[in-house]
């Protein structure tokens, strides 16, 4: 039982708060001899930190990782792999104003209700900074999936009101990298720029949707009851800041379909491989992968920190209108792509290990 | 690590398969002296088993519960509360035909890929029959929530193409009970009947959406990282058979909103209580309850077992068109209401216990 | 987190109380296709239930197992394997007297302090009857060890004041079966009979020590820190009723040795196999098996239920002298042999699965 | 499931290896607002690191703790409390010789059999250095026990052949601090000095026994089955390096006793408190505390690293006689006292939280 750990066999535990000296994490249950791809880790971290794109704030955080344990000659040793990333500015001046305010739709209020300590401005444990650790961990276990030829590709398919006119199968690993907004439909780049510019002018923000596709998944991963593969994926996605929804395959479009429309009839491909119709199931049936591509959507709410005046609660219990100064992200969804990929990698690697654990007779 | 257990402190483990002699479960971590409300348990079981409603098959399963342990004088003893419900017909004749076939969008194929035993027709572990155990467990822990004045109300808000014209706040505990389809918008009952009749005639099926609202939730339940309250709720919902999506609050409508539209500004009610705007957050911010009602949607795909001919895979690896004989449910969503309520109760009670565990200094 | 579950991947959860309708358990994480050896299960149960031997009470409990799930064609299916054994006499007349008394060195008093329900005579959850479930579970996973050629042999090496003059290597699978007291040193059978007869005459009881040896353990099982192989074995043994001590290898004799005496210098056997000196380490070094036989001792206190008058606490808070009527076991240690073997099998199979889970690259 | 985590609700996870850049750990499930007693933490660390005493090597490691997260104003925030301690000399020259050798009774060989990487001299994950983290964690949760007035006192009661002539009740918190060897019987100090001097001259080592007493334990802590309070204590102790045995109360002396001798008849103290005879049970009955002092013994084997020539295995598979140069500890048992106290504190605080989690109705 841990509020800070994800996974069954391959487990990731994170620690750290925005106001503390460092954040970091521990990966356990890794196979021995897994090589670390430092360049890939940094690539994924950089994608989380786009300096100028998409309305992201130009704040420059360097994510220099200190490797604490579990690595020798750039390979995993089987010991817990621990790492940390230092926090540069522990209590930024521009956050001092927040010490007396609970911001709307933020975790300020609920965090105090749970933990009872009110002077932790900047998000504390709930800060998006914690996701740096997730990206590092995900990029490491990505190496396991690579050995199994499994690939994960995520891209933004909705940004505010702009929806990509693509299907999940159109998303490839370079899709998001090729677009400044990580958007799956490059024809809409100008439209997005216009939307974001207008929002920035209004000091407002917006949300979006990320669609992920996992290719070359072997059939037979998952479990039939409480840890269905998509239940574990869903829990992992819903654990990301600002996520409000998750669906698999036809998802929220499935309810209005007929069974005969939604079902994936068996067929054979030219080379004799068993295939499942149009894959409306999204690659998982009964909680277990069927060998088709797994695809799912993750819905992000608009950034709650905006530059407009809003009614806030003061520490003294008053409702007052305040404007939070400083930089605000207009839309963080493009920066969430590597986080979604990381959480996906952690779940998939864990289920590979879980299945393996049964093969003892 | 268990594929069959849900929860951290209050934990529910289920066992049983459709072809076995019984299904059942174990509840652990319960407080001592919790009284069992047998009538409520049976009410919830009956709601899962509507004899004639909503296209449900008229099959009559009696769910007589054998209490095995953990109860004395109708109260919990602190020992694991185990129970079972016998399966009447262990290998029904009408399922024999399935022994050689993998049905589309069913768990037949994936279950074999995971577990490698092919002659378990009728869904095996993946059978919806397992949800009987969930309903029993949920109804038991419901008693804990009642002591905290927390109520859970779920109703169907979409059945196939018919959508209820209500908001979550319109759903109350009697809402679903008052309608033959558990539908939140009684004015659409005739329309639903017509849709279901047509589908039945076509030997087809459809899906739906259940919306749940939890009232009187104390602020401060949940956790900020991997076990956010809605991540645990989402995982619990996605573990229900046929569920393809979950969203909280504004959910999949949030991405296209502006921050200023989605945010819940603080205000005070007449009696001085702190309130959160329009509650678009759905009662949870930063993974922790804020004291507002929690509401979320669960999307169900159409029933995959239909009476139409479909392309199936034979055990010999051939693709053949087959028609599955026997009764088929046209729509199971109304019957899923007590299951959704049960899973909700288990998650909420568990988080109450989790919070309590910290209060030791 | 569960008070009723043992193991990491291969997990056993038990339920049931002496006063309830049944006891039983659930085994999870088993490989698929493991054949059940019903005869071996019954043999182990019978060893726990010696009708006349060793001062055991002549009470005849039949342990007819109802298999609830997880088995098909006598093989495991990968679903949770659940079973139960009915309790015949739920509230035996001879236990009624106990409703008002807390017996010395029994769990009556502490159980009430933890769970607060005082009218559960006969040991409730703490009753030795729960060990029936352990024996069944252990006998099942024994089948996994057999595939790996691992054998487990336990025998009594001390019964009251009588100590066996043997070394652990002298204990073989038939050792305990060949002796009415499960004693490792048959020359002392008459002496034991005499000791037990005298104790029975005095209405007193005694304890003993069981020594276990595990042969053909592959090197590399275990973990270096909190789940050292002997820490998991020790926890499993200390979870058995009446157990007060556990030691591995030289154990409590190690403290007074010199390093040069205790160390196991490397050597090679005739066939070139690497061996470890006199194996004073007991087959485990740094928490991980080294390929030598694992051996350990388990110390049992005397049975606390005796027929002599003792000072007891009444429910009204008085200290009174009482004599508990009815049959009493003079020594239960011989009957604990299959329980020790079962717990050993569960730990070893679990660690086999754990190691396997790492082999994914 | 984690090989590196101890506890159910209050959980401690450690990371780090002797050859890595740092060791450290994460404490979770702590109550909010627990004040850190830095002086006590350093006191306990210093006790683990006696510069000149008891044959300990004069090596000077400074244990400067870097607090990474979970603390604000010197109190716990409810977020994971992470810390690290840097390793000064990552690959000491004097360990280079070990790269080609497996030492007898060391973890070199077994670690490689489990993890397959052979060039991690100095113990790697199995190094005693990991226990620094345990001492820090234990000293932190000690603050919880203090609020409940629970005290933990450990002392050496056997050092090599020298046995203390004291009973557990004679051990108090200052007992070990008042003696250079942490020995419970100060009259034997000279004898111990003589024994250690002789061993040092022989370049040999020895072991010992630590006895721990926990006072003011409320009745009702623990669990009746697999997490009996003494099973959790035993597992925690057996997870300490070099520990080969654990017993509670009369322990390994219980088997030869009669029930009438071992049983703790109820009596009342002058002030009306319920007491349990001579407390041969060691304060736990049926896995649950009875309110008496808990006491237990932990047996340590002699240090395996000795300066004498020994037969070792080379990486090339040869058996060769070698002598390991450098400083060797003659006896580490005195230094293990704070480690035993730390593990005790972690288990006790965890069970306090566990019991609290049930109090929700």
């Amino acid at each position: 039982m841990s509020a800070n750990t994800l996974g069954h066999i391959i487990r990731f535990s994170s620690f750290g708060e925005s106001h503390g000296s460092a954040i970091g994490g521990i990966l356990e249950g890794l196979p021995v001899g897994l090589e670390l791809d430092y360049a890939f880790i940094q690539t994924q971290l950089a994608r989380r930190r786009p300096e100028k794109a998409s309305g992201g704030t130009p704040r420059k955080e360097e994510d220099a990782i200190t490797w604490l344990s579990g690595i020798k000659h750039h390979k995993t040793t089987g010991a817990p792999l621990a790492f940390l990333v230092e926090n540069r500015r522990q209590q930024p001046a521009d956050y001092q104003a927040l010490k007396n305010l609970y911001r709307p739709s933020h975790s300020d209020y609920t965090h105090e209700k749970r933990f009872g300590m009110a002077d932790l401005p900047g998000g504390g444990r709930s800060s998006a900074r914690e996701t740096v650790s997730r990206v590092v961990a995900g990029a490491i276990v990505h190496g396991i999936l690579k050995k199994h030829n499994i690939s994960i590709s995520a891209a933004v398919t909705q940004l505010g009101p702009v929806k990509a006119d693509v299907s999940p199968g159109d998303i490839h690993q370079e899709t998001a990298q090729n677009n400044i907004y990580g958007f799956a439909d490059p024809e809409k780049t100008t439209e997005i720029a216009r939307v974001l510019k207008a929002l920035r002018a209004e000091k407002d923000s917006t949300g979006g949707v990320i669609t992920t596709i996992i290719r070359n998944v072997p059939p037979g991963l998952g479990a039939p009851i409480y840890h269905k593969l998509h239940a574990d994926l869903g829990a992992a996605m819903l654990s990301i800041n600002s996520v409000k929804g998750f669906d698999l395959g036809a998802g929220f479009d499935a309810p209005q379909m007929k069974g005969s429309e939604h079902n994936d009839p068996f067929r054979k491909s030219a080379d004799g491989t068993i295939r499942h119709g149009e894959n409306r199931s999204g690659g998982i049936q009964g909680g277990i992968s069927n060998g088709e591509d797994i695809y799912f959507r993750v819905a992000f709410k608009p950034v709650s920190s905006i530059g407009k005046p809003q009614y806030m609660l003061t520490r003294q219990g008053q409702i007052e209108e305040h404007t939070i100064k400083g930089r605000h992200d207009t839309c963080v969804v493009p920066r969430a792509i590597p986080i979604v990929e990381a959480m996906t990698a952690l779940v998939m690697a864990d289920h590979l290990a879980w299945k393996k654990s049964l093969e003892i007779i």
Side-chain angles (χ1 to χ4, degrees), chain A:
Chain A
M1 194 194 92
S2 163
N4 305 291
T5 298
L6 186 98
H8 307 277
I9 290 179
I10 294 183
R11 292 158 56 88
F12 179 61
S13 304
S14 85
F15 63 84
E17 298 134 306
S18 58
H19 62 270
S21 66
I23 58 154
I26 303 182
L27 264 170
E28 294 172 272
L30 294 176
V32 175
L34 177 68
E35 196 157 356
L36 265 71
D37 182 342
Y38 301 107
F40 181 66
I41 295 168
Q42 286 301 332
T43 298
Q44 292 297 84
L45 284 173
R47 295 175 72 198
R48 185 195 158 277
R49 196 185 59 227
E51 257 73 48
K52 31 195 184 288
S54 66
T57 62
R59 117 183 49 148
K60 174 144 179 78
E61 322 162 50
E62 270 165 36
D63 300 317
I65 305 163
T66 304
W67 302 103
L68 299 171
S69 65
I71 304 172
K72 183 90 182 176
H73 303 324
H74 314 303
K75 290 185 177 170
T76 56
T77 63
L81 192 163
F83 61 87
L84 65 80
V85 179
E86 285 182 31
N87 288 331
R88 288 296 160 90
R89 305 144 305 127
Q90 294 191 28
Q91 260 176 297
D94 47 333
Y95 276 17
Q96 288 302 325
L98 298 177
K99 289 189 75 163
N100 195 38
L101 289 177
Y102 302 99
R103 289 163 289 175
S105 292
H106 221 271
S107 64
D108 300 340
Y109 178 79
T110 57
H111 205 274
E112 181 176 340
K113 287 295 171 188
R114 170 83 200 229
F115 298 108
M117 291 185 82
D119 57 343
L120 300 171
R125 181 70 176 140
S126 290
S127 163
R129 177 135 184 85
E130 185 263 352
T131 57
V132 168
S133 303
R134 304 187 188 208
V135 171
V136 174
I140 292 170
V141 301
H142 212 102
I144 298 168
L145 302 182
K146 229 170 143 183
K147 298 256 181 190
H148 290 260
N149 207 25
I150 299 171
S151 74
I152 297 169
S153 311
V156 180
T157 49
Q158 181 179 346
L159 197 157
V162 188
K163 296 184 183 188
D165 189 17
V166 300
S167 70
D170 296 327
I171 298 169
H172 294 277
Q173 284 187 279
E174 61 281 8
T175 303
Q177 268 121 323
N178 286 347
N179 184 272
I180 188 173
Y181 304 117
F183 204 68
D185 185 351
E187 298 193 7
K188 308 230 170 153
T189 308
T190 322
E191 190 182 344
I192 291 173
R194 201 164 42 225
V195 165
L196 288 173
K197 193 180 172 192
L199 285 167
R200 207 151 36 230
E202 296 173 41
K203 301 193 170 181
D204 216 327
S205 67
T206 196
V209 172
I210 290 176
T211 298
T212 305
I213 183 162
I214 320 174
R215 291 185 171 88
N216 296 320
V217 181
L221 293 189
I225 307 293
Y226 301 118
H227 289 286
K228 289 181 164 74
L229 186 53
H230 58 285
D232 276 10
L233 284 167
M237 297 306 141
L238 290 160
S239 81
I240 300 173
N241 290 6
S242 298
V243 171
K244 305 299 283 189
F246 168 88
D247 68 359
L248 172 78
F252 274 94
D253 291 330
Q256 48 265 37
M257 295 170 87
K258 296 181 183 180
S260 59
E261 290 166 349
H262 183 273
N263 277 0
D264 291 316
F266 282 95
R267 53 185 183 80
K268 273 191 194 175
S269 62
D271 65 351
T273 318
I274 301 300
R275 302 302 303 271
H276 302 76
E278 301 301 313
N279 190 20
R280 293 204 176 84
S281 302
I284 300 175
Q285 288 159 342
I288 299 170
S289 63
N290 65 5
E292 298 289 338
D293 297 343
I294 293 173
Y295 62 93
F296 56 83
R297 294 188 307 157
V298 182
F300 291 78
K301 69 169 186 177
V303 177
S304 60
S305 296
I306 56 175
K308 290 191 144 180
Q310 295 184 98
Y311 284 100
M312 305 193 182
L313 179 66
T314 69
R315 199 65 75 75
Q316 289 72 36
Q318 300 308 310
I319 309 289
E320 297 175 0
E321 200 179 47
H322 282 276
T323 306
I324 301 299
K325 300 234 166 53
R327 299 153 307 195
H328 296 284
D329 289 303
T330 310
C331 182
V332 294
V333 181
R335 292 175 57 189
I337 294 172
I339 304 168
V340 166
E341 290 181 352
M343 302 308 283
T344 305
L346 286 164
V347 172
M348 296 305 291
D350 188 29
H351 275 275
L352 277 172
W354 199 341
K355 183 157 193 272
K356 193 72 186 179
S357 73
L358 301 180
E359 300 172 8
I360 55 172
I361 62 167

